[in-house]
Amino acid sequence: MSRGRYGEYGGQYISETLMNELLYLEEQYNHYMNDPDFVEELNTLLKEYAGRPSLLYYAKRMTEDLGGAKIYLKREDLNHTGAHKINNVLGQVLLAKKMGKTRVIAETGAGQHGVATATAAALLDMECEVFMGEVDTRRQALNVYRMELLGAKVHSVKSGTQTLKDAVNDAFRDWIARVHDTNYVIGSTMGPHPFPMIVRDFQAVISAEAKEQFMEKEGKLPDAVIACVGGGSNAMGAFYNFIEDEDVKLIGCEAGGKGIDTPYNAAALTNGKIGIFHGMKSIFNQGDYGQIAPVYSVSAGLDYPGVGPEHAYLRDTGRAEYVPITDEEAVEAFEYLSKMEGIIPAIESAHAVAYAMKLAPKMDKDETIMICLSGRGDKDVRSIAEYRGVDLNE
Amino acid sequence: MSKIPNAFKNGTAFIGFLTAGDPTIDKTVEYILAMEEAGCDLVEIGIPFSDPMAEGVVIQDANVRALKHNTTTDDVFDIVRRVREKTDIPLVFLTYINPVFFYGYEKFFKRCAELGIDGIISPDLPYEEKGEIKDIALSNGVDVISLIAPTSKQRIQKIASDATGFIYVVSSLGVTGMRSEIKTDLNAILSDIREVTDLPLAVGFGINTPEQASEIGKIADGVIVGSAIVKIIEQYGENAAGPLKEYVSDMKRASNE
């Protein structure tokens, strides 16, 4: 495959002003990933600061209740800052520091990537500004304050749909004006090359660990790996080291919102068409004439009208399968895992849990499923209460 | 054959930009003709897009206004058809690549050829991805205008040697929008480009006052103004023809002083 391409997807569809910076980023990335000192420093941060390796937890009650395949949870929710986002961010912010940058910017939907970036920036003494859609700043007000507490400046993005895609637009607009001192720490396996590759590589630690952990606990690889997909970073991380193992089914769960037959969903791989946006050729939700469509999900982290290019490729080649999960199914799974295992999942991750609940009963008891539990759900408690009509302010 | 060379036959070219459908389709036709009458040598017609990533707030807002009443790519072609009934002024599209990709490259450029569109500028199609449209555009007589930025440096050689029509020199870092001062060493960039190509070099991004136009006009072959024109349309809405003519004629004069 040619550089930065996943089949026909990927590429570098971005302003000329940013091109040299992207080429430089790729060169520096390749340089440092081959530098044992950098790798050692990053691994130490992942271990001592983020708390890796993350646990592979056997969900016994859930398994027994569903009565089929054994279910394991890859506990990315136990990482420092409460989600898988820290894996990528430590890598990218450390890289930015080595490149001599003094400032990092990030987009955020649910706020998890913004919090992770603000955290790494505090740790590594970098200036940090985060772009977040105004709608999302209201849905995730706690995370806004959290980022500010960590010393970051949060920009409330008022353009367009005021959600994740608009935050990405404004982050690129900021970067184009300040390429000299700033790195854009992108939060998912998306954007122009080399970002989809960099983010995937930094997230691939999830499947690298999981492979070893499965061999240790089960003496074999899982039969299915399930992860939620917005831009697709936790899914790419959870899938990556299993791609060559063709007996391992890879399943991505998209935000089906209020249903894929309604306009209120964010299921790009189910409803989208091929297009070119945010620097990449991939699959996007779009209307007539190629205008990017407003999307919807109960989950701010999956509320994105596209998907990373490598996922589009994995779908086309049949290596991975992508299924939509509705808000209602995700909320039920959110409540189910909380009651069944005492683990409150992020509403994003609950999309993966929901699919496991459908799949496990159809599988044999000697088969295994890994759910990538990409984040913790504390941030979602208020919005789920609202969804259920519970007023927490009374 | 593209009519772009005609734009550079009358002193320093003044190149004006507006967003199609802002405020209405009829008014866009009227404003293009008004700008030509006032001395505009080439008009960039923006195809509205939901997510204009390289634009500042002024042009972002124009995109919102145009899309509010559903200006489509076919409407934009209709604007061109109506303009072409009156004039053969060089016209280029400024468009993000997705609306073109979605429309279908073949169909899009065939339509451009039928209506006499002379070039296309796509802010998200750098040299590396130009192959998307290069052959099909050129075979339909449409120049793919290359952009060169202050950060382009060693890329100038390959970009400029592959360019056709004119070269769009981006004056400064950042998105489009009016700037009080342009600090880039444009002289150095322009002379680097001139070592590679004889194509006309037009400078854009940030230019809005006659003083700036005059300064740029001394060193470049063309002065590109977008946000300042769009701002006039924003301010005067359906009654912008008069103020637009006045502004364009002042800027054309200043570009040649």
Side-chain angles (χ1 to χ4, degrees):
Chain A
M1 234 177 292
S2 69
R3 203 178 116 265
R5 288 280 171 179
Y6 309 90
E8 66 183 307
Y9 305 111
Q12 293 182 300
Y13 300 87
I14 204 74
S15 297
E16 169 58 25
T17 305
L18 291 174
M19 277 306 299
N20 256 331
E21 189 61 25
L22 288 173
L23 296 170
Y24 179 60
L25 177 64
E26 181 181 7
E27 177 210 303
Q28 292 285 294
Y29 172 73
N30 290 330
H31 169 79
Y32 281 109
M33 290 307 273
N34 287 306
D35 171 358
D37 291 342
F38 178 86
V39 173
E40 173 64 27
E41 195 174 347
L42 177 58
N43 285 340
T44 303
L45 284 177
L46 288 172
K47 187 172 166 221
E48 307 289 334
Y49 187 72
R52 300 208 73 86
S54 71
L55 298 175
L56 183 72
Y57 166 75
Y58 170 48
K60 187 160 176 279
R61 284 198 70 208
M62 185 175 171
T63 299
E64 286 170 2
D65 182 62
L66 295 171
K70 280 179 87 171
I71 295 171
Y72 283 91
L73 307 177
K74 182 63 176 158
R75 298 290 307 276
E76 294 300 307
D77 61 315
L78 294 178
N79 294 338
H80 180 43
T81 71
H84 71 292
K85 295 291 186 188
I86 194 81
N87 306 332
N88 164 46
V89 152
L90 285 173
Q92 283 203 60
V93 179
L94 188 62
L95 178 64
K97 180 111 184 160
K98 299 284 178 195
M99 286 169 66
K101 305 285 180 169
T102 56
R103 176 176 177 265
V104 290
I105 54 169
E107 86 294 345
T108 197
Q112 294 305 95
H113 175 60
V115 167
T117 307
T119 299
L123 175 72
L124 296 168
D125 192 21
M126 305 275 275
E127 203 184 323
C128 177
E129 295 186 29
V130 178
F131 296 85
M132 188 170 186
E134 181 153 90
V135 169
D136 291 338
T137 61
R138 288 197 297 270
R139 283 199 278 200
Q140 302 287 349
L142 195 62
N143 270 343
V144 174
Y145 188 70
R146 199 169 276 151
M147 287 183 268
E148 288 167 351
L149 204 57
L150 291 160
K153 183 173 175 194
V154 180
H155 297 272
S156 171
V157 176
K158 293 175 181 65
S159 61
T161 56
Q162 306 181 354
T163 60
L164 183 53
K165 86 169 165 75
D166 310 285
V168 174
N169 291 344
D170 269 20
F172 271 114
R173 287 176 184 131
D174 178 279
W175 196 32
I176 207 173
R178 288 191 65 171
V179 278
H180 53 287
D181 69 347
T182 299
N183 260 25
Y184 179 11
V185 175
I186 212 162
S188 196
T189 48
M190 50 160 290
H193 177 71
F195 285 120
M197 171 184 81
I198 290 179
V199 178
R200 175 200 68 201
D201 289 355
F202 285 142
Q203 291 295 357
V205 65
I206 299 173
S207 49
E209 286 173 8
K211 231 172 156 166
E212 277 183 28
Q213 290 166 323
F214 262 93
M215 290 313 287
E216 230 166 75
K217 287 180 195 282
E218 290 284 330
K220 58 174 186 152
L221 298 180
D223 295 284
V225 172
I226 306 176
C228 64
V229 177
S233 72
N234 92 83
M236 222 36 248
F239 292 174
Y240 190 61
N241 289 289
F242 291 113
I243 290 176
E244 302 285 304
D245 305 301
E246 291 188 3
D247 293 337
V248 180
K249 280 181 77 170
L250 306 175
I251 304 158
C253 302
E254 296 196 290
K258 294 180 181 172
I260 53 164
D261 304 328
T262 73
Y264 306 103
N265 67 76
L269 287 168
T270 307
N271 278 345
K273 293 193 180 86
I274 184 170
I276 300 170
F277 181 51
H278 279 165
M280 58 184 167
K281 187 179 275 184
S282 191
I283 305 294
F284 300 97
N285 296 91
Q286 43 191 322
D288 293 342
Y289 296 98
Q291 304 295 341
I292 301 305
V295 287
Y296 161 84
S297 167
V298 68
S299 142
L302 302 183
D303 201 353
Y304 181 72
V307 68
E310 198 164 3
H311 283 295
Y313 177 68
L314 290 175
R315 179 197 68 171
D316 283 9
T317 56
R319 181 61 193 94
E321 166 190 5
Y322 296 85
V323 295
I325 296 294
T326 64
D327 283 359
E328 184 61 29
E329 290 170 327
V331 171
E332 278 169 16
F334 178 91
E335 293 163 341
Y336 177 85
L337 195 68
S338 302
K339 293 200 171 71
M340 197 56 75
E341 295 287 347
I343 296 170
I344 303 175
I347 188 63
E348 289 78 18
S349 323
H351 286 69
V353 175
Y355 191 71
M357 289 164 66
K358 296 185 193 182
L359 184 66
K362 296 184 214 157
M363 291 170 68
D364 289 341
K365 288 190 176 178
D366 58 355
E367 291 184 302
T368 57
I369 291 175
M370 177 178 105
I371 301 171
C372 186
L373 204 72
S374 56
R376 57 189 290 158
D378 307 51
K379 67 181 177 59
D380 299 309
V381 170
R382 176 171 290 274
S383 60
I384 300 304
E386 246 169 58
Y387 182 91
R388 287 299 189 209
V390 178
D391 187 350
L392 298 180
N393 294 322
E394 270 173 21
Chain B
M1 191 57 198
S2 125
K3 297 177 287 298
I4 286 174
N6 297 345
F8 297 91
K9 283 179 179 160
N10 181 24
T12 303
F14 180 81
I15 298 174
F17 166 91
L18 45 63
T19 299
D22 169 34
T24 65
I25 286 163
D26 288 347
K27 287 291 155 182
T28 302
V29 174
E30 183 187 330
Y31 294 165
I32 292 170
L33 296 172
M35 291 205 294
E36 187 202 15
E37 202 186 310
C40 188
D41 299 291
L42 185 155
V43 178
E44 275 179 32
I45 303 172
I47 299 180
F49 185 50
S50 52
D51 297 82
M53 267 170 65
E55 312 303 342
V57 178
V58 171
I59 298 179
Q60 282 179 45
D61 288 350
N63 280 273
V64 171
R65 289 193 296 273
L67 289 175
K68 201 167 249 176
H69 58 84
N70 274 324
T71 306
T72 69
T73 312
D74 284 317
D75 291 333
V76 181
F77 280 126
D78 200 50
I79 289 170
V80 176
R81 184 188 58 76
R82 290 167 61 187
V83 169
R84 277 286 172 250
E85 286 171 0
K86 303 269 168 73
T87 170
D88 57 3
I89 183 174
L91 297 173
V92 306
F93 279 143
L94 183 298
T95 179
Y96 290 81
I97 197 65
N98 200 49
V100 184
F101 181 81
F102 191 95
Y103 200 86
Y105 293 148
E106 194 90 28
K107 189 175 154 202
F108 184 90
F109 287 104
K110 194 165 158 271
R111 200 87 185 94
C112 287
E114 284 163 11
L115 296 170
I117 283 289
D118 303 289
I120 178 170
I121 306 171
S122 189
D124 51 0
L125 206 65
Y127 176 81
E128 279 73 0
E129 306 295 355
K130 199 177 164 185
E132 286 279 333
I133 59 169
K134 185 181 161 187
D135 292 344
I136 187 143
L138 282 177
S139 70
N140 281 289
V142 178
D143 288 315
V144 181
I145 307 303
S146 299
L147 292 107
I148 288 178
T151 51
S152 294
K153 296 177 184 154
Q154 85 290 358
R155 295 169 55 78
I156 288 176
Q157 169 68 35
K158 61 179 176 188
I159 297 171
S161 57
D162 188 56
T164 58
F166 68 93
I167 289 179
Y168 191 132
V169 181
V170 177
S171 76
S172 30
L173 299 183
V175 293
T176 57
M178 297 172 275
R179 292 165 172 68
S180 53
E181 201 184 351
I182 290 163
K183 293 179 185 151
T184 312
D185 185 358
L186 281 170
N187 261 317
I189 295 173
L190 293 170
S191 70
D192 283 353
I193 304 172
R194 286 203 168 102
E195 279 178 25
V196 185
T197 179
D198 296 328
L199 285 180
L201 310 183
V203 176
F205 275 47
I207 304 168
N208 64 105
T209 65
E211 292 72 28
Q212 289 169 324
S214 163
E215 229 172 276
I216 302 288
K218 288 188 182 82
I219 55 173
D221 307 305
V223 173
I224 307 172
V225 174
S227 295
I229 288 172
V230 171
K231 191 79 196 169
I232 291 171
I233 295 172
E234 177 188 317
Q235 189 180 346
Y236 293 94
E238 306 224 340
N239 305 303
L244 274 178
K245 277 193 208 171
E246 198 177 321
Y247 177 74
V248 169
S249 106
D250 286 351
M251 290 295 278
K252 171 70 185 175
R253 195 181 316 114
S255 304
N256 285 278
E257 265 166 10

